[in-house]
Amino acid sequence: MRAANYRYGKSKVAALALAVSAGVLHASEYTGDIPRFKETAARAGIDHQYTGPWEYFVGGGVAVLDCNGDHRPDLFFAGGENEAALYINQSDTAGALKFKPQENYLSIPLKSVTGAYPLDIDNDGNMDLAVMRVGRNRLLRGNGDCTFDHNYKPFQLATGSAWTTAFSANFDPESPYPTLVFGNYVDRIAPGSPWGTCDNHDLYTPVNTQGKLDETKPIYPESMALSPGHCALSMLFTDWNRSGRNSLRVTNDRQYHRGGEEQLWHFDAGALPRLYTKREGWQKVVIWGMGIASGDLNADGFPEYALTSMGDTKLQQLELDVFEENGWPQYRDIAYENSATAHRPYAGDDLKPSTGWHAEFDDVNNDGLLDLFIAKGNVEQMPDFASFDPDNLLLGKHSGGFYEAGMEAGIALPTRGRGGAVTDLNLDGLLDLIVVNRASNVSVFRNTGAIYADRERPTGNWLQIKLNQSGINRNAVGAKISVKSGNATRTRTVQVGGGHASGDSGFVHIGLGVAERASIRVQWPDGQWSAAYRAFANNFIIVERNNPDPVYWYPE
């Protein structure tokens, strides 16, 4: 987020209009399946707003988690100056969405929340919540019945009163508990705040308890400052180089005030974190970074990264020839050539630049290609940026690149989006969309199927896969899932972080197109590969480590 001192003159507006008319945003007529969405938050029983003064212009996230063991995604919403809220999923399978507020999920009111990420910290099989706040961050221990404990001693954090807007977690193979990083924004107590005063981040490395949890002592007794911080709005532990060890990717907002840039941190075994440098091939990129999405668009094993911003979205692809020669993290921006800049509203007559927030790759039309969803919205009332700025739905094309389908799909609303999620709320195999809006009710878009111009036919096939392993890292964070059908291979990675103030857990969705069968292989976090599992399409599958057969789970 930047103050309203960025000027787009008539020449730049004209250039944007010319780019649209030249077909840069809509490179060719889209011939694939366009999903149809219906906004149904109020009808589903969800009534929640993210509000507050300038500290809450950023943030506004949702955590998607199964808090009661029924495999249905429940929703935890940040509230800003309002209380955070938990909604329990009571939707009928393949039916209307229905949610019930969980009134007493915590014994205290929880305000000043900017976002949250679900993960199982203590390996007990219940999902916990890492909650980001303007003030003291919290780890909430899940009890397995959609209630949480904020006083659990092992989860107490040595934390101050930072303004936290980003988070990621990584299970280090040398530790029984995850490493946590809370990314902070403006240092509110520094002289001259808020201009030019970015805070450092808080890194929490767990004590080694040899797997035996002492419930009288915290797992994270102290924090380490990760410096310099450039006002992060998203961060993600990611295995960018297929080394088997994650680095930390950070996208930053207010660098223009203090000479910052995008960052990539080494997290090497037995060493303190350190930044990748120019000598190691890291190229300086300066944007108003809001959100990170990671996806392997071409199934080469190396993730691409979408970075949302004010004005345009970056889509970064590793320069493989440079990497193979030097091992450098050198990236090329391929957003323009793939019609993925999303730099202006695709609907309405406002030609001012867009403001992108949450970003997430997934396959919303089950055609086997990754799509990109971006939540959009003016920061507040910034006159140099579009006021009507609908969320983007960029559908992957078999010919390459993306097609903007937000208008046809029915998600072009006059809201101010922030965080979000892409998940299957009613377990019908169709991915739904959730957007946390500033100062208005959240948007919940139910996916009702595809739009066809020529004929009736069902949407593409799919698989949804959940990983389980015993002991440490029960949900296999860091694992890679490879699904092959015909000549096509789709890959997904289980991660905690990215997006904007929003994280999800549970089944990993993979579209299969017309394929009716697929072969699944899992590379577990320690690098070991599973056997190949044969699976029939349109099923929920639980892959348990050391189980020779996948377990089919059937919704009631």
Side-chain angles (χ1 to χ4, degrees):
M1 179 190 69
R2 190 186 183 193
N5 58 3
Y6 183 64
R7 294 289 184 259
Y8 254 63
K10 291 183 179 180
S11 61
K12 291 192 175 183
V13 172
L16 286 173
L18 178 61
V20 174
S21 64
V24 173
L25 296 183
H26 303 278
S28 63
E29 183 180 356
Y30 183 69
T31 58
D33 302 336
I34 299 177
R36 185 190 300 274
F37 290 91
K38 182 178 181 181
E39 205 293 306
T40 187
R43 181 172 294 183
I46 298 178
D47 181 11
H48 184 76
Q49 294 188 18
Y50 180 77
T51 63
W54 66 282
E55 292 97 333
Y56 304 105
F57 287 0
V58 298
V62 55
V64 179
L65 72 160
D66 172 18
C67 61
N68 54 12
D70 65 356
H71 295 300
R72 297 177 184 273
D74 308 301
L75 305 175
F76 177 86
F77 291 107
E81 68 177 0
N82 290 334
E83 289 188 25
L86 178 66
Y87 282 83
I88 309 305
N89 193 341
Q90 298 182 331
S91 305
D92 297 326
T93 302
L97 302 182
K98 293 185 292 186
F99 286 83
K100 179 182 178 181
Q102 181 81 348
E103 301 293 348
N104 299 309
Y105 71 92
L106 203 63
S107 62
I108 60 170
L110 190 59
K111 293 187 175 183
S112 304
V113 174
T114 57
Y117 288 80
L119 74 162
D120 183 0
I121 296 172
D122 56 353
N123 306 305
D124 67 350
N126 298 324
M127 296 306 296
D128 311 307
L129 282 171
V131 179
M132 306 177 299
R133 303 177 69 234
V134 178
R136 181 186 175 192
N137 297 316
R138 292 184 178 274
L139 300 179
L140 305 183
R141 188 195 190 202
N143 296 319
D145 59 355
C146 292
T147 65
F148 293 83
D149 185 354
H150 70 282
N151 278 324
Y152 186 53
K153 186 66 175 180
F155 281 18
Q156 300 303 299
L157 291 176
T159 184
S161 57
W163 176 2
T164 304
T165 48
F167 176 82
S168 192
N170 177 52
F171 277 84
D172 192 295
E174 290 85 22
S175 175
Y177 307 107
T179 296
L180 313 177
V181 183
F182 287 87
N184 298 320
Y185 198 55
V186 171
D187 184 351
R188 296 175 296 150
I189 63 174
S193 177
W195 306 113
T197 57
C198 292
D199 211 344
N200 295 324
H201 308 312
D202 295 314
L203 169 64
Y204 293 92
T205 302
V207 296
N208 194 342
T209 63
Q210 305 298 324
K212 298 179 180 179
L213 183 65
D214 185 344
E215 296 198 359
T216 67
K217 297 180 180 179
I219 297 173
Y220 306 98
E222 58 185 7
S223 65
M224 169 185 164
L226 201 61
S227 179
H230 297 315
C231 292
L233 287 177
S234 187
M235 53 179 46
L236 177 66
F237 276 107
T238 175
D239 186 9
W240 67 271
N241 58 359
R242 300 197 305 188
S243 67
R245 191 166 194 95
N246 284 329
S247 303
L248 182 68
R249 182 73 190 258
V250 184
T251 190
N252 297 302
D253 181 11
R254 295 170 56 108
Q255 319 93 313
Y256 282 92
H257 300 291
R258 57 179 296 173
E261 60 180 302
E262 299 295 282
Q263 294 170 308
L264 182 67
W265 291 82
H266 288 276
F267 269 74
D268 299 327
L272 293 175
R274 64 178 181 86
L275 283 168
Y276 276 85
T277 65
K278 185 177 180 180
R279 289 187 177 183
E280 296 173 290
W282 183 247
Q283 296 173 304
K284 185 171 184 176
V285 175
V286 180
I287 59 175
W288 297 312
M290 307 289 202
I292 302 174
S294 171
D296 187 356
L297 297 178
N298 56 7
D300 65 354
F302 295 97
E304 280 72 42
Y305 299 97
L307 309 174
T308 59
S309 180
M310 300 175 74
D312 62 6
T313 291
K314 303 297 182 185
L315 183 59
Q316 294 191 330
Q317 186 174 69
L318 186 66
E319 295 276 22
L320 280 180
D321 55 344
V322 176
F323 173 74
E324 290 170 356
E325 181 178 354
N326 302 306
W328 287 354
Q330 189 167 309
Y331 287 84
R332 182 172 69 92
D333 183 18
I334 60 172
Y336 184 85
E337 65 196 70
N338 286 277
S339 302
T341 57
H343 59 282
R344 65 172 295 278
Y346 55 82
D349 57 2
D350 195 337
L351 292 180
K352 294 176 182 177
S354 282
T355 305
W357 297 89
H358 181 82
E360 190 166 346
F361 285 110
D362 221 318
D363 186 356
V364 298
N365 55 359
N366 291 332
D367 64 352
L369 301 175
L370 280 174
D371 311 308
L372 177 60
F373 172 72
I374 302 174
K376 288 281 192 70
N378 195 292
V379 172
E380 187 63 6
Q381 295 179 350
M382 297 180 71
D384 295 324
F385 292 86
S387 57
F388 174 65
D389 198 5
D391 306 325
N392 291 105
L393 185 63
L394 296 165
L395 300 180
K397 301 188 300 183
H398 287 282
S399 59
F402 294 90
Y403 171 76
E404 177 56 68
M407 177 61 75
E408 297 99 316
I411 67 169
L413 300 184
T415 49
R416 286 182 289 159
R418 292 295 188 265
V422 182
T423 189
D424 183 0
L425 293 172
N426 59 352
L427 307 180
D428 61 354
L430 302 174
L431 289 171
D432 310 299
L433 308 177
I434 306 162
V435 185
V436 179
N437 298 309
R438 176 164 168 79
S440 64
N441 194 28
V442 301
S443 298
V444 178
F445 296 101
R446 180 190 170 190
N447 190 338
T448 61
I451 302 170
Y452 308 108
D454 54 350
R455 61 191 181 279
E456 292 283 338
R457 71 178 187 271
T459 188
N461 295 322
W462 51 271
L463 284 173
Q464 297 201 49
I465 302 165
K466 182 179 289 188
L467 305 183
N468 280 339
Q469 61 180 3
S470 60
I472 297 170
N473 191 7
R474 295 281 293 268
N475 302 116
V477 174
K480 296 176 176 63
I481 302 172
S482 175
V483 176
K484 184 177 181 180
S485 58
N487 294 323
T489 299
R490 291 103 182 176
T491 62
R492 303 289 190 272
T493 302
V494 181
Q495 296 170 305
V496 179
H500 177 65
S502 304
D504 50 30
S505 58
F507 284 102
V508 176
H509 178 99
I510 299 176
L512 297 177
V514 298
E516 297 180 350
R517 298 185 182 187
S519 176
I520 304 169
R521 291 196 70 192
V522 176
Q523 186 180 27
W524 296 96
D526 62 4
Q528 295 295 315
W529 281 94
S530 73
Y533 302 99
R534 292 186 176 183
F536 291 97
N538 304 327
N539 277 294
F540 294 86
I541 294 176
I542 300 174
V543 177
E544 298 175 341
R545 191 164 189 175
N546 300 323
N547 188 339
D549 300 305
V551 176
Y552 286 84
W553 177 76
Y554 302 99
E556 294 180 0

